[in-house]
Each structure stands twice: as C-alpha cells, then as structure tokens.
Amino acid sequence: MGFKLGIVGLPNVGKSTLFNALTQTAAAEAANYPFCTIEPNVGEVGVPDDRLDTLAGIAKSGQTIPTRLTFVDIAGLVRGASKGEGLGNKFLAHIREVDAVAYVVRCFEDDDVTHVENRIDPLADAEVVETELMLADMESLEKRIATIEKRAKSGDKDAKTQLAILEKALAPLREGKPARLADIAPEEQPAFAALQLLTSKPVVYVCNVEETAAGSGNAHSAKMAAKAEAEGAACIVISAKIEAEFAGLAPDDRAEFLAEMGLSEPGLNRLIRAGYQLLDLVTYFTIGPKEARAWTITRGTKAPQAAGVIHTDFEKGFIRAETIAYEDYVAAGGETGAKEAGKMRLEGKDYVVKDGDIMHFRFAN
C-alpha cells in the first residue's frame, strides 16, 4: 500500500501546475518509479527511496518496485463548494477517499496571474478552503445525528455510542474549527474515521512561492508555517514553476538544475516525506533476485498485519518472519552475509515491524 494525498486549493494558486509537475517528474523516471494516470485528476507515483536502490544493487534484483503515492487533484474548490457551487459536490466526494490533504496556497506576487478573490493572502485562502470543508462536514453530521438520536432514545446501545462520537465531532465544527481537533479517545478512533469527515484528515500546507524564494520561503510562507505549527499540521515551501521546469528536464540535467536553484531535492520528495510524517508511516522491504520491493505500513504494525499488506493469505497463515535490519543487510553485503553474521532474526506474531526492516514471511497455505 501507499497513501492518497488530495491536493486542494482555490483557482490560480498553482495547484494544477504543481500536480502536473509532480506527476510528470514521476513519468520521466519510469525506469525506477513508474507513473500512471488512473483518471484525469488522479496520478500515481512511486515513492523515491535510496535504500531500495541500495538493496536492489546488493541483491542484483531484476526489478525495483517502490511503494506508491496517489495524488488526487481536487479542482474547482471555491466559495460555496459545500453547497455544490462550481464542481463542489464531485470534488468534495474525492476528498473523502484520501488519507491526507495538501492545501496549496498562493505565496507569490504576479500581476499576470489573477487571484480569484483579487488578493494575495494565503491565510485567507486556507480559511476559505477549510470553511467549505467544515460546512460540508457539519451538514453531513447534522443529517445523521437526528436519526441516531431517535435510536439512542429508544435504548439502542450502539446508537448511544455513535451519538457520543457524532457530538464530539460536531463540537469543534460548531466553533469554526476542523473535526481533526475533536477530543476523540483512542478506542473511538475507528468509529470516528468511519465518519469520513473532510476536516478529520491530516493536513500539509504547500506554500507556492516565486522561484527566488524556493529555498528559504518568504513572508507569506512564514505566516503559513506559524499557522501549521499552531495546528500541529505540516508545512512545506515549493515553487510550482521550478517543479514544472524540473519535470521537463532530462534526468541527467536535474541535479545541476537543483544546485543552481539552491535546492537539495525536488518538491516531490519533500511532499512525500511530509505525508509520511503526518500519517506516521514506515517502510519495510522484500528483497530477492527477481525483485526488490518497498511496502508502506503504519508505524506500530505487527508482523502478521504487515504480511497482509502483500497478501491476505500471508496474514491468515502467518508462522514467522525472517527479519534483517537495513543497516545489517548493507553492512553484511546481503542476506547470506547477514545470516553468517547472526544478524537474521526469527520474529513471531507480536513483532512490531520497524522502518527499514528486510522481511521474509513464512506462512501456512
């Protein structure tokens, strides 16, 4: 599994330019990180990971398969989207299906690019977008709560439990705050997630700046960074123009271009890393002569469930996992050397898979 990141924002903030650049970058690197278009506003990319390439080189793997990230370009979000303005209903539905949301906000001045509300104010842009999502969430919950209340009053225990969660979710929304700030206990999280609220998703603010500010940001992006820190959200600075130029370059010319721009890596890498941190994801690997492959799981996942990401039969019939830490695998020059050095461990059902583990699952058919 990978994860789905929804890209939202007002018109003319650089959202579609960024989406196109990110997916074109992936398309140009098809040898290692294949890209495909699922539908016009959805792009799937491979997650760059130097460790995977290193492992594949050591094992002389015939194929390298990264884990996946799906970008969903949710266009047309304007004031009134929660009431169906523009293409609101269609694209709000897309947001329900993503794991995290990237709010692209305009942090650049350009008289040739008209702002939909005739101003350059990224804080206000973010507020417009989130307000529409909060209004949609409130409408969704208030429609459900009346029915649940009737059942709860009749003594239905499940309805009482659901009602309590609905009321907790509504509390911040009624105060003009996103649902992700609701006071939800750990045991209530599955039921809360099942509500599919738009503002319950983790958020990363993407500050689209002018080219000269791509490395350090500007005054506008600094305001967004402060907002993100106060909310516990992520914030990154990207120049969509630079990303578009980068996407059009031959792979051999990209490192020099980034150096000229004062950047150490493309925006795609930073955006992916922010998404992984937001969702608390880690990566494990399966390595062999046929293929080297990366798999994404949530931090804290135990071995049987990690095996289930590959195939449900692996989880059902799980016996044990042969495990080597990434550093040990590299230091020993591969699986054979790691075994000889006593670095391969046999782990059972309670083992929590760590980031970078090389796994081989034993299971009963």
Side-chain angles (χ1 to χ4, degrees):
M1 66 175 262
F3 67 94
K4 284 187 177 182
L5 182 66
I7 302 178
V8 303
L10 299 179
N12 291 343
V13 298
K15 177 172 53 62
S16 293
T17 300
L18 179 63
F19 172 83
N20 291 336
L22 295 177
T23 51
Q24 285 168 19
T25 297
E29 296 179 347
N32 281 330
Y33 306 117
F35 159 75
C36 63
T37 300
I38 301 168
E39 55 181 276
N41 64 325
V42 178
E44 191 172 272
V45 305
V47 174
D49 192 326
D50 291 340
R51 296 175 301 176
L52 180 62
D53 297 327
T54 297
L55 294 170
I58 292 171
K60 297 181 172 56
S61 303
Q63 191 176 14
T64 303
I65 305 174
T67 189
R68 315 296 298 172
L69 164 61
T70 301
F71 286 116
V72 184
D73 181 22
I74 302 166
L77 200 60
V78 295
R79 284 189 193 272
S82 61
K83 302 298 181 185
E85 291 294 327
L87 296 174
N89 290 333
K90 176 181 178 182
F91 294 116
L92 290 175
H94 277 310
I95 300 176
R96 297 191 195 282
E97 299 172 4
V98 303
D99 300 306
V101 181
Y103 286 20
V104 180
V105 291
R106 178 171 171 173
C107 293
F108 65 89
E109 309 276 349
D110 188 338
D111 292 339
D112 294 331
V113 182
T114 304
H115 190 285
V116 68
E117 299 201 353
N118 296 313
R119 54 165 169 71
I120 306 301
D121 187 343
L123 292 173
D125 286 359
E127 184 179 354
V128 168
V129 172
E130 190 143 74
T131 295
E132 292 304 323
L133 302 187
M134 288 190 292
L135 289 170
D137 278 346
M138 283 187 68
E139 183 179 358
S140 170
L141 291 175
E142 286 171 348
K143 281 180 179 177
R144 285 184 257 188
I145 205 165
T147 304
I148 299 296
E149 277 180 335
K150 289 180 183 178
R151 287 171 46 202
K153 287 177 181 177
S154 70
D156 187 320
K157 289 184 178 180
D158 288 341
K160 287 181 179 179
T161 301
Q162 289 178 40
L163 181 60
I165 293 172
L166 287 171
E167 288 175 340
K168 284 186 176 183
L170 269 169
L173 292 168
R174 286 171 174 161
E175 295 176 3
K177 298 175 183 177
R180 62 180 173 275
L181 300 181
D183 183 18
I184 304 296
E187 63 272 14
E188 296 173 326
Q189 284 294 339
F192 178 66
L195 296 176
Q196 289 190 299
L197 299 176
L198 304 172
T199 62
S200 68
K201 313 283 185 183
V203 165
V204 53
Y205 294 109
V206 179
C207 301
N208 183 17
V209 300
E210 66 274 16
E211 292 171 275
T212 54
S216 57
N218 58 23
H220 291 307
S221 65
K223 291 178 182 177
M224 291 306 303
K227 174 181 172 64
E229 185 176 2
E231 296 176 358
C235 183
I236 63 170
V237 172
I238 283 181
S239 167
K241 279 190 175 181
I242 286 179
E243 296 303 317
E245 289 181 55
F246 179 83
L249 293 174
D252 291 344
D253 297 331
R254 289 180 170 180
E256 182 180 352
F257 174 77
L258 288 175
E260 289 175 357
M261 294 292 104
L263 302 172
S264 60
E265 61 182 347
L268 173 64
N269 294 22
R270 283 178 280 134
L271 187 53
I272 288 172
R273 193 159 56 247
Y276 266 62
Q277 291 171 351
L278 268 180
L279 296 168
D280 205 16
L281 302 176
V282 297
T283 301
Y284 77 85
F285 305 99
T286 52
I287 306 297
K290 289 186 178 179
E291 67 176 37
R293 188 160 186 160
W295 304 89
T296 299
I297 54 174
T298 303
R299 190 182 305 278
T301 299
K302 293 185 178 180
Q305 289 69 50
V309 172
I310 299 175
H311 198 289
T312 53
D313 286 349
F314 285 20
E315 180 177 356
K316 291 175 184 175
F318 179 88
I319 299 173
R320 65 180 182 273
E322 296 175 356
T323 309
I324 306 171
Y326 171 79
E327 293 79 7
D328 292 335
Y329 188 100
V330 174
E335 182 178 322
T336 301
K339 284 181 178 178
E340 291 173 351
K343 297 297 184 180
M344 176 180 281
R345 311 183 310 274
L346 294 179
E347 302 288 0
K349 294 181 178 180
D350 292 329
Y351 177 68
V352 175
V353 178
K354 296 178 177 60
D355 187 48
D357 276 351
I358 290 91
M359 312 289 292
H360 180 69
F361 299 106
R362 298 293 185 184
F363 66 100
N365 292 318

